[in-house]
Amino acid sequence: MGKLLTEKQVAERLGFHVQTLRNHRFEGRGVPYCKIGRAVRYDENDVIAFIEASKVQPAER
């Protein structure tokens, strides 16, 4: 497990609003997260994997 990040830190890295992360959690999609009591935390490695999985390779012509 990597460093645990807050909602605000993840939102800043991804260019999202915090509410977007909350909506994704409610909808069951987006970056995997951990609940520690009432606190939501994201594993830095999961954030990196989410970014990598979102890459789009342009088609060759």
Side-chain angles (χ1 to χ4, degrees), residues 15 17 42-43 57:
H17 289 101
Y42 294 86
D43 185 326
Q57 293 294 330

Side-chain angles (χ1 to χ4, degrees), residues 6-27:
T6 65
E7 286 180 305
K8 184 176 178 182
Q9 290 170 317
V10 174
E12 288 173 359
R13 286 191 186 197
L14 297 177
F16 291 168
H17 289 101
V18 171
Q19 188 60 48
T20 301
L21 293 175
R22 292 175 182 165
N23 291 344
H24 286 181
R25 287 197 310 270
F26 180 78
E27 295 166 357

Side-chain angles (χ1 to χ4, degrees), residues 50-61:
F50 178 81
I51 293 168
E52 290 295 321
S54 299
K55 283 185 179 178
V56 176
Q57 293 294 330
E60 288 190 34
R61 296 197 182 251

